[in-house]
Amino acid sequence: MRRLGETLGRDPMVLYRHVANKAVLLDGVVEMVVNELSVDSTDPDWEGQLRRFARHFRELALAHPNVVPLLVTRPLATPLGLQPLGTLRPLEQILTLLTRAGFTSAEALHIYRALFGVIYGHVLSELQEVVERPDETNDLLRLGLHRLPATEFPLLRDLASELASYDGAAELELGLDILFAGLKTTLARSSD
């Protein structure tokens, strides 16, 4: 709160006229970002809607990387019924979308959790990609993989070029492809 007050050129105590405490302020930040996300729960293309949602989440995360830890941890630190309503709207929209597509409510909740697991994991991985020597042309050296014992990590060392050519958008799509292939199978089984 002190740093925020300094950034705003205000006494930190003045901030408490607007928010009760730091937790409320952090919840507000999460709510502002999450409010930019939405799902058209009336669209029969549930997969297309979830793909658009995941892509938009990634774009927001890349645009606001310092907010990502809050997006991932704040919902877990607050009981569901006490979370700001704006943070719950995407959950309700996704549950509605999926139940209209034929999934049970319980299945829709599991899908929501799996989807966010994929999105959160992907975004955290993408934002944490660290290249030791960006100007190095040899991928093994660029990523620091030359330090790994060749006999213990042969596969990882062999993947140096693949690791160095990381494409966040393509990786997200692959993760979504895997998730949705399983979901389509689940939906087909439950409609039999």
Side-chain angles (χ1 to χ4, degrees), residues 51 54-55 58 62 115 117-127 129 159-180:
R51 281 185 186 278
R55 291 174 190 140
R58 177 181 173 268
L62 295 177
L115 176 67
V118 169
I119 295 170
Y120 286 166
H122 170 78
V123 166
L124 288 172
S125 292
E126 185 170 3
L127 291 175
E129 285 292 314
L159 284 170
S161 293
E162 184 74 24
L163 290 164
S165 63
Y166 183 82
D167 178 345
E171 289 286 331
L172 177 61
E173 292 301 321
L174 179 59
L176 293 173
D177 288 346
I178 293 166
L179 175 64
F180 294 143

Side-chain angles (χ1 to χ4, degrees), residues 41-98:
S41 57
T42 63
D43 187 346
D45 182 11
W46 61 270
E47 181 181 351
Q49 281 296 314
L50 295 182
R51 281 185 186 278
R52 281 187 282 285
F53 181 88
R55 291 174 190 140
H56 192 203
F57 189 98
R58 177 181 173 268
E59 290 167 7
L60 285 171
L62 295 177
H64 307 288
N66 293 330
V67 177
V68 171
L70 292 177
L71 290 171
V72 174
T73 61
R74 291 302 300 165
L76 301 175
T78 308
L80 203 57
L82 298 177
Q83 291 181 21
L85 296 180
T87 63
L88 297 175
R89 284 193 181 92
L91 168 58
E92 186 68 21
Q93 291 169 346
I94 290 173
L95 292 174
T96 302
L97 174 75
L98 292 170

Side-chain angles (χ1 to χ4, degrees), residues 26-53:
L26 296 176
D27 285 342
V29 170
V30 170
E31 188 171 22
M32 282 178 53
V33 174
V34 170
N35 273 334
E36 295 186 42
L37 298 167
S38 67
V39 171
D40 178 359
S41 57
T42 63
D43 187 346
D45 182 11
W46 61 270
E47 181 181 351
Q49 281 296 314
L50 295 182
R51 281 185 186 278
R52 281 187 282 285
F53 181 88

